Amino acid sequence: SQQGEEDPQALSIQEGENATMNCSYKTSINNLQWYRQNSGRGLVHLILIRSNEREKHSGRLRVTLDTSKKSSSLLITASRAADTASYFCAAQGGSEKLVFGKGTKLTVNP
Amino acid sequence: GAVVSQHPSWVICKSGTSVKIECRSLDFQATTMFWYRQFPKQSLMLMATSNEGSKATYEQGVEKDKFLINHASLTLSTLTVTSAHPEDSSFYICSWTSGRCRQFFGPGTRLTVL
């Protein structure tokens, strides 16, 4: 399988805490993207980090990329109950195809 | 972001019937789009890449004769699951690419085959 791995598979935290999710991928990439999926719904694009970038911020989101280790992390700071969802990384190589990781199911308890 | 619609949002059908799922890009045109499926508690798996006016390219293990893709225009693509069986029950999601790395996903269609 070309799918990457994400850990943890499930994460449960309290509101206000930070949530960190990790992703590893197997191929060379042009960029790595993070998506959010609420239960039974489509995907929402969160952030894209290019292969020549090491860190990127967007609001409460912070993404890092280590191409030498083929890994990325997504940090959500000051989490809210509304952040409860599944989060997927997706690696994009030379074509426009996205290869998705297995996802992390995040539960933020009020 | 761009708006993508899928119809129907959910469908239940009997084994052996065919089901057509529509995917529309509502506010932009694109040559390339993708079909994914997602089994419960799993990630999205790419089924096929479709370019307007040409045959779709299917991923390994996806039967092209079972999952018929018709990419009729720059804003409409359909996926027909022919002779559906219970193992085809899944969440089918389409996406359109803007050509700038981004993909815009539809809300998904949940197919249940009895």
Side-chain angles (χ1 to χ4, degrees), chain A residues 20-86:
Chain A
T20 300
M21 291 160 266
N22 302 297
C23 162
S24 62
Y25 57 91
K26 299 180 181 179
T27 61
S28 296
I29 62 168
N30 284 342
N31 66 75
L32 188 127
Q33 304 177 31
W34 284 88
Y35 288 84
R36 165 198 168 117
Q37 183 182 35
N38 284 56
S39 181
R41 307 293 296 273
L43 273 71
V44 175
H45 178 92
L46 295 176
I47 194 165
L48 179 154
I49 185 165
R50 299 188 187 282
S51 60
N52 61 354
E53 297 176 308
R54 291 296 166 258
E55 188 171 312
K56 200 163 183 179
H57 297 254
S58 176
R60 293 185 295 113
L61 306 179
R62 173 178 169 252
V63 169
T64 63
L65 179 65
D66 187 336
T67 52
S68 66
K69 295 181 180 178
K70 288 187 165 61
S71 68
S72 174
S73 68
L74 170 67
L75 167 67
I76 303 175
T77 60
S79 64
R80 305 165 182 169
D83 294 329
T84 294
S86 290

Side-chain angles (χ1 to χ4, degrees), chain B residues 20-93:
Chain B
K20 181 184 285 189
I21 301 169
E22 283 189 358
C23 174
R24 292 180 185 271
S25 168
L26 299 182
D27 56 357
F28 77 103
Q29 295 182 333
T31 305
T32 303
M33 62 86 63
F34 303 90
W35 285 98
Y36 298 84
R37 64 181 166 186
Q38 183 180 30
F39 292 106
K41 299 184 179 180
Q42 294 189 25
S43 187
L44 277 75
M45 294 294 292
L46 180 64
M47 298 175 68
T49 303
S50 178
N51 290 294
E52 188 263 344
S54 61
K55 291 183 179 180
T57 302
Y58 291 80
E59 295 297 304
Q60 191 173 10
V62 179
E63 300 174 55
K64 62 180 176 65
D65 294 328
K66 181 170 181 63
F67 298 99
L68 301 179
I69 293 172
N70 183 355
H71 194 148
S73 72
L74 295 175
T75 59
L76 172 63
S77 176
T78 61
L79 171 70
T80 300
V81 183
T82 62
S83 187
H85 290 281
E87 57 266 30
D88 299 322
S89 297
S90 188
F91 194 54
Y92 291 86
I93 305 176

Side-chain angles (χ1 to χ4, degrees), chain A residues 3 33 37 42 96-97 100-101, chain B residues 38 43 59 97 99 101 103 107:
Chain A
Q3 275 195 316
Q33 304 177 31
Q37 183 182 35
E96 291 178 296
K97 289 184 186 181
F100 282 85
Chain B
Q38 183 180 30
S43 187
E59 295 297 304
T97 177
C101 306
Q103 287 187 25

